[in-house]
Amino acid sequence: MRIHIPTFVAVVVFALVWIFFGIAHLVNAKALSPLVARIPGGVFWIYFTGAAMILAGFAIILNKWAKAACYFLALMLFIFILVIHLPSLVRGDFAAPVNILKDLGFIAASIVIGNIRDHIRQLGQL
């Protein structure tokens, strides 16, 4: 399978987005805390998911456990939908449908990238 440079760049950008999201979770945990107020463990989960996002981003870039990282990202996002976005939808939050669709898109991208990442050894072997 030949992977072209735009695909490689897209994979790296995807990974950088997760690193950014992870850092944002760590830096803005207090602002995000209302989202997890009803979940046992509360703010711990914000820090945990932030660290997981950063680790997943680096795993994808470095191609070490990239497929597992992508599949765990997909699982984490599915849990977000079930635990955060669906209850928000039931409460009438107007942003909930958008967040559900966004996370579904990220789930799809995570699965696709997880499946192709092993085919990209390094930039010179495109």
Side-chain angles (χ1 to χ4, degrees):
M1 173 184 220
R2 182 164 169 80
I3 303 294
H4 299 284
I5 290 174
T7 303
F8 180 82
V9 171
V11 168
V12 171
V13 168
F14 179 80
L16 291 173
V17 166
W18 286 110
I19 293 169
F20 173 79
F21 283 166
I23 292 169
H25 271 68
L26 299 179
V27 171
N28 300 310
K30 187 174 180 177
L32 295 170
S33 63
L35 295 173
V36 293
R38 294 183 171 100
I39 301 170
V43 176
F44 163 79
W45 292 111
I46 295 171
Y47 289 112
F48 179 82
T49 58
M53 290 173 187
I54 293 169
L55 290 173
F58 281 114
I60 295 165
I61 290 171
L62 299 173
N63 200 20
K64 300 291 183 192
W65 297 80
K67 186 171 190 171
C70 286
Y71 276 63
F72 280 121
L73 273 175
L75 176 62
M76 182 176 68
L77 290 163
F78 183 71
I79 292 169
F80 286 178
I81 290 171
L82 294 178
V83 175
I84 297 170
H85 303 315
L86 285 178
S88 293
L89 182 67
V90 170
R91 286 192 305 272
D93 182 357
F94 73 95
V98 173
N99 288 325
I100 291 169
L101 291 173
K102 170 191 59 87
D103 282 353
L104 286 172
F106 274 133
I107 288 169
S110 294
I111 292 168
V112 169
I113 289 172
N115 288 333
I116 69 163
R117 186 61 183 105
D118 284 342
H119 298 287
I120 305 171
R121 306 242 186 277
Q122 61 188 15
L123 185 55
Q125 293 180 343
L126 298 175

